[in-house]
C-alpha cells in the first residue's frame, strides 16, 4: 500500500492476534505506528494491549498506558477492561486492582474483569465479595461472572463453594450453564481427585462434552495417576481431535509417571506413525522492552553461555537447600542422571536464569509459558525464589504462580 493509515494497521494488528506466532508482529506494527505519528484508536490500543497480555510484556504495555491521558483511560470501559486484564494476566494484581478502583464507569464487563483477575491470582474470597457487591448495586450477574468465580474455586480447590456457585446460576440468577461452566466444574472435581464424580457429571450433562471437558478430566487423571480412566478419556479426545499432540503427550506422561515405559513408548510410536508432532514448550520473558523466547535445551540466545552457567550455579545452591530433581517428569526410560540433565534446561528454568542475570535484584521476574509448568520446574523455582530473594511470577496455560520466599501462591495445587 502506498499509504498506510490507522484503519489497515488496526486491521492487521487485530488479525495478528488470531495466531500466537504473530503476537510480536502485532506489537512491532503498533510501535511502527507510533514512530510514524499515527494516533491509535480504541481497537488498535486494545489489540496492542492484548498482544502484550499474551506475551506477558507488562513493561511495554505500561509504557503506552502511561503515555495516554489517565482520564481517557479510566472513563472508557472497553479500554479500562483491557488494561485490568493485561495487568492481571501479567501477574501484577496490585496494578490491576488499583486501576479498577480508578475506573469512572464500571459496567458489568468491568466488574467481571475485576472478579476474573482476583480469581486467577488466588484471591477467591475477595472475588466473592465483589460478587456480593455487584448484586447490591443492582447488576444481574451473567455467564462470564460465574466463569470467573468457578475458575477461582478450581484453582483453590473449593469444591463445596464451586457446587453452590454452579447450582445458584439457574436456581437463583436464571443463568443457563454453558459448556464453559460445565468445563469449570469438571476441572474442579478432577483436580480435587474426585475423578469418578467428574466422569458421572460429564455423563449427566445436557450438552455433548467437547475437548475442553475431556481434557480437564484427563488433566485430573495425570495429577492423580489414574491410568485406567486416562486411557478411556484419551480415546475420547483422540476421536474429537486426532491431530492434537497434547492428548497423546499427556497420556504418555501419565504412563511415564507410573513407570509404564512400554505403554508410553507405544503412544509415541503411534504419534510418529500418524505424523503428529509434539508442541514444543516455549517460555517468554520481557527485559528492557524486548521479548526473549526460550525452548527446552535452548542454545540460540546471545547470552546462552551465561544462562547455562547460572543454571549450574543454581543447581549447586538448590541441592544444598534440599532440592532433589523430580525425575517423574522426565518422559523417557533412561538413567537418572540423563533424566536430571533433561530437566535442567527446561524453557521456564532458562527464562528464570536469564531474568536473574539480566535484571536488578529488586525486579520481579515475570515468565509466560505456552504449556503447563513442569512439576520439577515448579519445585525448583520455589527454592530459587528463597535462595535468591527474588519474586518470580510464572503464568502457564492453567494459572498464575507467584513464587516468593520458597512458596507459591497455588499452594502446590494446580
Amino acid at each position: 500500500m502506498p499509504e498506510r493509515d490507522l484503519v489497515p494497521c488496526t486491521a492487521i494488528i487485530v488479525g495478528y492476534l488470531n495466531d500466537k506466532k504473530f503476537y510480536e508482529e502485532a506489537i512491532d506494527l503498533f510501535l511502527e505506528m507510533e514512530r510514524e505519528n499515527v494516533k491509535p484508536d480504541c481497537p488498535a490500543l486494545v489489540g496492542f494491549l492484548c498482544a502484550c497480555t499474551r506475551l506477558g510484556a507488562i513493561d511495554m504495555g505500561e509504557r503506552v498506558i502511561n503515555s495516554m491521558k489517565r482520564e481517557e483511560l479510566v472513563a472508557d470501559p472497553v479500554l479500562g477492561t483491557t488494561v485490568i486484564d493485561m495487568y492481571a494476566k501479567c501477574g501484577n494484581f496490585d496494578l490491576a486492582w488499583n486501576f479498577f478502583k480508578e475506573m469512572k464507569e464500571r459496567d458489568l464487563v468491568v466488574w467481571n474483569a475485576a472478579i476474573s483477575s482476583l480469581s486467577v491470582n488466588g484471591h477467591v474470597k475477595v472475588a466473592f465479595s465483589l460478587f456480593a457487591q455487584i448484586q447490591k448495586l443492582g447488576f444481574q450477574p451473567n455467564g462470564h461472572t460465574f466463569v470467573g468465580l468457578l475458575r477461582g474455586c478450581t484453582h483453590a480447590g473449593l469444591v463445596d463453594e464451586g457446587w453452590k456457585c454452579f447450582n445458584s446460576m439457574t436456581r437463583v440468577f436464571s443463568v443457563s450453564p454453558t459448556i464453559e461452566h460445565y468445563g469449570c466444574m469438571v476441572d474442579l472435581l478432577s483436580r480435587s481427585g474426585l475423578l469418578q464424580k467428574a466422569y458421572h457429571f460429564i455423563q449427566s450433562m445436557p450438552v455433548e462434552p467437547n475437548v475442553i471437558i475431556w481434557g480437564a478430566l484427563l488433566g485430573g487423571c495425570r495429577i492423580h495417576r489414574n491410568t485406567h480412566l486416562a486411557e478411556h478419556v484419551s480415546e475420547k479426545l483422540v476421536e474429537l481431535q486426532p491431530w492434537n499432540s497434547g492428548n497423546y503427550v499427556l497420556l504418555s506422561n501419565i504412563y511415564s509417571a507410573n513407570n509404564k515405559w512400554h505403554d508410553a513408548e507405544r503412544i509415541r510410536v503411534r504419534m510418529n506413525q500418524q505424523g503428529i508432532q509434539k508442541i514444543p514448550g516455549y517460555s517468554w520473558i520481557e527485559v528492557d522492552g524486548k521479548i526473549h523466547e526460550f525452548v527446552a535445551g535452548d542454545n540460540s540466545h546471545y547470552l546462552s553461555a551465561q544462562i547455562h552457567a547460572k543454571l549450574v550455579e543454581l543447581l549447586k545452591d538448590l541441592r544444598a537447600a534440599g532440592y532433589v530433581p523430580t525425575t517423574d517428569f522426565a518422559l523417557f526410560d533412561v538413567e537418572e542422571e540423563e533424566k536430571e540433565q533433561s530437566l535442567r534446561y527446561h524453557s521456564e528454568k532458562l527464562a528464570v536464569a536469564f531474568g536473574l542475570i539480566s535484571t536488578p535484584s529488586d525486579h520481579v521476574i515475570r515468565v509466560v509459558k505456552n504449556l503447563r509448568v513442569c512439576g520439577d520446574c515448579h519445585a525448583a523455582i520455589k527454592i530459587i525464589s528463597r535462595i535468591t530473594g527474588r519474586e518470580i511470577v510464572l503464568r502457564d496455560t492453567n494459572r498464575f504462580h507467584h513464587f516468593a520466599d520458597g512458596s507459591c501462591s497455588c499452594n502446590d495445587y494446580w
Side-chain angles (χ1 to χ4, degrees):
M1 295 178 68
E3 293 184 13
R4 293 181 296 174
D5 60 14
L6 176 63
V7 176
C9 287
T10 299
I12 295 296
I13 288 172
V14 173
Y16 276 146
L17 295 178
N18 291 321
D19 192 325
K20 60 186 176 185
K21 293 184 291 187
F22 296 107
Y23 295 160
E24 290 187 57
E25 281 81 353
I27 290 174
D28 290 341
L29 181 54
F30 184 90
L31 298 179
E32 186 178 336
M33 288 170 56
E34 275 193 330
R35 290 191 293 270
E36 296 179 1
N37 295 316
V38 177
K39 183 175 174 59
D41 59 4
C42 182
L45 284 164
V46 168
F48 168 74
L49 293 174
C50 285
C52 291
T53 299
R54 293 170 188 180
L55 289 173
I58 188 172
D59 293 340
M60 199 175 295
E62 192 170 20
R63 181 189 64 77
V64 171
I65 290 169
N66 290 337
S67 71
M68 299 177 63
K69 292 181 179 179
R70 198 72 170 183
E71 56 269 24
E72 291 181 9
L73 276 173
V74 297
D76 189 320
V78 176
L79 267 178
T81 301
T82 307
V83 172
I84 293 169
D85 190 57
M86 186 201 76
Y87 281 141
K89 289 182 179 175
C90 288
N92 196 323
F93 170 72
D94 290 338
L95 286 177
W97 182 244
N98 289 335
F99 193 88
F100 167 74
K101 290 191 291 186
E102 285 185 56
M103 289 291 295
K104 302 295 184 186
E105 183 183 337
R106 298 180 192 167
D107 59 13
L108 183 60
V109 177
V110 175
W111 282 98
N112 285 346
I115 288 172
S116 179
S117 69
L118 285 160
S119 294
V120 297
N121 283 280
H123 304 285
V124 186
K125 291 183 179 179
V126 186
F128 273 98
S129 296
L130 281 197
F131 179 61
Q133 194 171 342
I134 66 173
Q135 294 174 66
K136 290 179 181 177
L137 292 172
F139 288 102
Q140 172 68 16
N142 62 14
H144 296 292
T145 314
F146 288 102
V147 167
L149 294 171
L150 289 172
R151 282 179 177 164
C153 293
T154 296
H155 293 316
L158 302 175
V159 176
D160 291 340
E161 289 81 352
W163 273 121
K164 290 175 184 176
C165 182
F166 180 78
N167 290 329
S168 71
M169 288 177 61
T170 52
R171 296 175 183 174
V172 180
F173 300 100
S174 301
V175 176
S176 298
T178 65
I179 194 73
E180 199 168 6
H181 301 104
Y182 288 114
C184 288
M185 286 305 300
V186 173
D187 200 19
L188 171 59
L189 295 170
S190 300
R191 289 175 188 271
S192 302
L194 303 172
L195 299 176
Q196 289 303 319
K197 281 190 176 182
Y199 183 66
H200 292 316
F201 180 81
I202 292 172
Q203 292 180 310
S204 67
M205 284 168 30
V207 294
E208 192 70 22
N210 62 6
V211 293
I212 304 297
I213 300 292
W214 290 117
L217 182 54
L218 185 58
C221 292
R222 184 202 60 78
I223 294 169
H224 301 285
R225 301 190 178 188
N226 188 324
T227 53
H228 178 72
L229 183 57
E231 286 185 87
H232 173 70
V233 174
S234 180
E235 291 302 326
K236 294 283 187 182
L237 282 165
V238 170
E239 286 175 18
L240 292 168
Q241 283 189 339
W243 64 88
N244 189 335
S245 65
N247 301 328
Y248 298 91
V249 170
L250 191 50
L251 181 58
S252 176
N253 289 359
I254 292 169
Y255 283 135
S256 297
N258 285 277
N259 296 319
K260 294 187 175 183
W261 305 112
H262 175 75
D263 290 319
E265 177 64 21
R266 175 172 54 82
I267 297 299
R268 290 195 294 273
V269 168
R270 182 176 174 183
M271 289 177 65
N272 291 333
Q273 290 174 341
Q274 297 181 6
I276 298 169
Q277 298 293 319
K278 178 183 179 294
I279 298 173
Y282 289 98
S283 292
W284 296 272
I285 181 171
E286 180 190 20
V287 173
D288 295 330
K290 182 180 178 182
I291 304 297
H292 299 261
E293 180 181 274
F294 295 92
V295 67
D298 207 331
N299 287 304
S300 62
H301 196 275
Y302 70 96
L303 289 179
S304 184
Q306 292 95 314
I307 292 168
H308 284 234
K310 183 64 176 178
L311 280 175
V312 171
E313 174 192 325
L314 282 172
L315 185 59
K316 292 178 182 176
D317 294 336
L318 285 167
R319 289 189 183 280
Y323 161 77
V324 177
T326 313
T327 53
D328 283 355
F329 297 99
L331 305 184
F332 301 99
D333 186 15
V334 295
E335 297 298 323
E336 288 296 307
E337 185 176 344
E338 293 179 70
K339 291 181 183 179
E340 291 182 20
Q341 186 72 11
S342 70
L343 292 170
R344 182 183 302 177
Y345 299 111
H346 278 190
S347 65
E348 53 265 62
K349 288 192 181 85
L350 292 168
V352 168
F354 174 66
L356 288 170
I357 66 174
S358 304
T359 59
S361 59
D362 60 348
H363 189 87
V364 177
I365 297 172
R366 303 181 189 279
V367 176
V368 176
K369 185 173 181 180
N370 69 327
L371 302 174
R372 183 182 184 276
V373 62
C374 158
D376 177 76
C377 290
H378 188 274
I381 296 172
K382 278 201 302 183
I383 303 176
I384 290 172
S385 72
R386 174 161 56 85
I387 62 180
T388 63
R390 299 289 291 270
E391 182 182 350
I392 302 168
V393 178
L394 172 61
R395 186 183 90 206
D396 67 7
T397 52
N398 286 322
R399 66 166 297 151
F400 281 90
H401 302 270
H402 296 253
F403 299 94
D405 196 27
S407 62
C408 179
S409 60
C410 74
N411 294 316
D412 299 332
Y413 183 88
W414 84 102

